[in-house]
Amino acid sequence: MNGGLKLRERKKALVMLNISKLAKTFHLDNNPLNDKLALVDINLTIREGDFISVIGGNGSGKTTLLNIIAGVHMPDRGIISLNNIALTNLKEYQRARYIGRVFQDPLSGTVGDMSIEENLALASKRGQSLSLKWGLSALKRHGYKELLQDLDLGLETRLKAKVLHLSGGQRQALTLLMATMVRPDILLLDEHVAALDPKTARNVMAITEKIVTEKKITTLMITHNMKDAIRYGNRLLMMSNGRIIFDCGGEEKKSLTVEQLISKFNDSSEDELPDSLVLSN
């Protein structure tokens, strides 16, 4: 019995994502004075099962960090490994089998002209070779209905409806479901509720927490909402000018207040706190 507990404890402590000395500069034109320093020697270790909220103002490096993890951009230097797999030089499509992602725009993660069930069928093939033979059996449809019922949005009765007819919240919840149907090694959420109205955003966040918790998915979530950053997940990162300026977890995170976060930002950054972070709380 004790041996089994120790094994589970070791498994929980496994490093899922490791980033070392990651740096990225965007060259906007031929004038070096206009170069944008996006990331500055980022070192980050994410353990299996971590649910990390990331906050910071525009240009702080949040989305660039996610884009480099996903392979959208290549770093100027640094090393990225995921579950002991070297990602640094892999293309975006090569990383897709390991990474799930949901963007801010509800239109980005689904195919609007295809039905709900067709979108789910495509998502179920993530990481597999594409084939023309992906017919929808009665068994598959039953499985999709069960998955959709968990969203509690009534989508289980609309399998054949085109996704373009769904509301933003329904589409984003479907995108989240699709990104996690085949359990990814890591889930990247890029302000995935920012484009939704407050009530819908709360619903999608509740769905997010349910899926991430039940499937024990290691997750990195960018949010502009300090209350959400404190409430969700077991760890919080704050970024400014391409650097991680604050990193906390456990009991320290649970006891944080918005006022303390604002104070941390003011103490650790030369920038003023962005209005987008203050006004959203």
Side-chain angles (χ1 to χ4, degrees):
M1 180 67 177
N2 288 338
L5 286 174
K6 290 179 180 179
L7 180 62
R8 286 197 293 274
E9 288 170 358
R10 286 200 299 271
K11 186 176 181 181
K12 288 180 181 178
L14 289 176
V15 173
M16 177 60 69
L17 182 75
N18 191 59
I19 294 174
S20 177
K21 297 182 179 179
L22 195 68
K24 179 66 178 178
T25 297
F26 290 107
H27 304 284
L28 305 180
D29 51 34
N30 293 324
N31 186 349
L33 296 176
N34 294 328
D35 287 354
K36 170 61 178 176
L37 198 60
L39 294 177
V40 185
D41 290 332
I42 295 289
N43 295 297
L44 179 63
T45 298
I46 298 175
R47 299 194 176 276
E48 186 176 18
D50 273 351
F51 182 177
I52 302 176
S53 298
V54 184
I55 59 174
N58 293 333
S60 62
K62 309 183 304 297
T63 296
T64 300
L65 177 61
L66 261 62
N67 280 335
I68 289 181
I69 293 171
V72 177
H73 302 310
M74 290 295 176
D76 298 331
R77 63 179 180 275
I79 297 172
I80 309 171
S81 62
L82 178 65
N83 203 15
N84 295 321
I85 300 167
L87 294 186
T88 313
N89 297 315
L90 295 184
K91 302 295 185 184
E92 184 178 5
Y93 74 90
Q94 294 173 308
R95 303 185 195 195
R97 69 180 60 189
Y98 311 115
I99 298 172
R101 191 167 186 183
V102 182
F103 297 88
Q104 179 175 334
D105 184 358
L107 304 181
S108 297
T110 53
V111 183
D113 285 332
M114 295 177 67
S115 68
I116 292 174
E117 63 181 18
E118 288 170 338
N119 272 271
L120 291 172
L122 283 177
S124 71
K125 297 291 184 180
R126 183 168 60 82
Q128 302 177 29
S129 299
L130 293 178
S131 171
L132 294 176
K133 296 181 179 179
W134 57 289
L136 291 163
S137 65
L139 183 61
K140 285 182 179 179
R141 286 193 174 95
H142 179 72
Y144 295 160
K145 284 183 178 180
E146 289 188 335
L147 288 172
L148 292 166
Q149 278 178 333
D150 287 340
L151 299 181
D152 197 24
L153 295 173
L155 297 180
E156 66 275 9
T157 64
R158 302 177 61 188
L159 282 180
K160 296 187 181 299
K162 286 191 175 182
V163 171
L164 61 85
H165 297 309
L166 302 183
S167 68
Q170 289 173 327
R171 195 159 180 169
Q172 200 68 316
L174 178 62
T175 302
L176 183 64
L177 180 60
M178 291 169 60
T180 56
M181 273 185 72
V182 178
R183 185 179 179 276
D185 287 323
I186 190 166
L187 176 64
L188 306 178
L189 304 175
D190 193 352
E191 295 197 67
H192 70 304
V193 300
L196 307 176
D197 65 83
K199 181 179 178 180
T200 304
R202 287 193 295 272
N203 290 341
V204 173
M205 277 307 309
I207 292 169
T208 301
E209 184 176 41
K210 183 174 186 290
I211 290 175
V212 168
T213 301
E214 289 183 354
K215 293 192 174 185
K216 298 180 174 61
I217 301 173
T218 306
T219 301
L220 203 57
M221 178 183 75
I222 294 175
T223 177
H224 69 289
N225 189 303
M226 286 190 172
K227 288 182 180 178
D228 282 352
I230 293 170
R231 175 178 177 181
Y232 295 103
N234 65 308
R235 189 172 165 195
L236 183 149
L237 302 179
M238 180 184 287
M239 296 187 68
S240 177
N241 293 319
R243 295 175 171 85
I244 296 172
I245 61 173
F246 181 59
D247 181 352
C248 76
E251 293 303 317
E252 182 183 5
K253 179 180 182 295
K254 290 179 182 178
S255 63
L256 275 174
T257 65
V258 170
E259 290 73 23
Q260 287 173 329
L261 272 185
I262 292 173
S263 177
K264 291 285 186 183
F265 185 92
N266 292 333
D267 290 344
S268 304
S269 175
E270 297 177 357
D271 291 345
E272 292 185 7
L273 192 68
D275 289 341
S276 59
L277 283 176
V278 176
L279 297 176
S280 63
N281 296 285

